Amino acid sequence: MTNDFSGDKIKSLFRNIGTIKNLSALIEDKSNPIILISPLFGASKSLLVDLLSESEHQLIVLLPNIQMAAEFTVELTELGLSDHTISIIDFKPEAVQEKLTDILSREKFVLVSTYQL
């Protein structure tokens, strides 16, 4: 017996978790612009960003360090969000300026960086 755990299957399973359905409903409500949740672990962070990217055009994800930001960017790429992901992990002025220009030229993006941004 073979289990099919393709990206689409995993996304579907994630979206059908009761608490994720409740969170999605809160986000879609738009009456409360701030929603506090406990920390997410493992792939749940990237799966939630993937879900949010369907309805939200500009997302910012800040992580504790450069390594975590780089790894998270790879996870988003694996989920098919590479065209929308902008990662700021190089803080040299020229690199940051290039990323800011990239942000201004896009209508939809997921910005990934560190708390130090």
Side-chain angles (χ1 to χ4, degrees):
M1 184 172 163
T2 307
N3 289 324
D4 175 25
F5 286 108
S6 66
D8 290 336
K9 178 79 171 181
I10 292 171
K11 287 179 187 183
S12 176
L13 290 170
F14 179 77
R15 290 162 193 244
N16 285 311
I17 296 172
T19 53
I20 298 303
K21 285 182 176 180
N22 293 339
L23 180 58
S24 294
L26 282 172
I27 292 166
E28 289 174 12
D29 180 20
K30 306 272 190 208
S31 64
N32 186 1
I34 298 174
I35 300 169
L36 301 176
I37 60 173
S38 61
L40 299 171
F41 297 98
S44 60
K45 284 186 286 208
S46 52
L47 288 166
L48 180 61
V49 168
D50 179 60
L51 176 65
L52 291 172
S53 72
E54 293 177 4
S55 61
E56 304 298 323
H57 294 292
Q58 298 173 347
L59 298 170
I60 298 173
V61 180
L62 300 177
L63 297 163
N65 58 54
I66 290 172
Q67 180 179 348
M68 290 179 78
E71 290 171 357
F72 190 74
T73 300
V74 170
E75 289 179 19
L76 294 179
T77 299
E78 291 296 319
L79 289 172
L81 293 175
S82 61
D83 290 343
H84 301 296
T85 303
I86 300 170
S87 179
I88 300 179
I89 55 175
D90 179 359
F91 295 100
K92 294 178 187 154
E94 314 81 47
V96 172
Q97 180 63 44
E98 181 181 321
K99 298 296 183 170
L100 290 173
T101 302
D102 194 11
I103 289 168
L104 291 172
S105 70
R106 295 186 190 206
E107 187 173 312
K108 182 174 182 171
F109 62 84
V110 177
L111 174 64
V112 179
S113 190
T114 68
Y115 300 144
Q116 299 152 346
L117 182 64

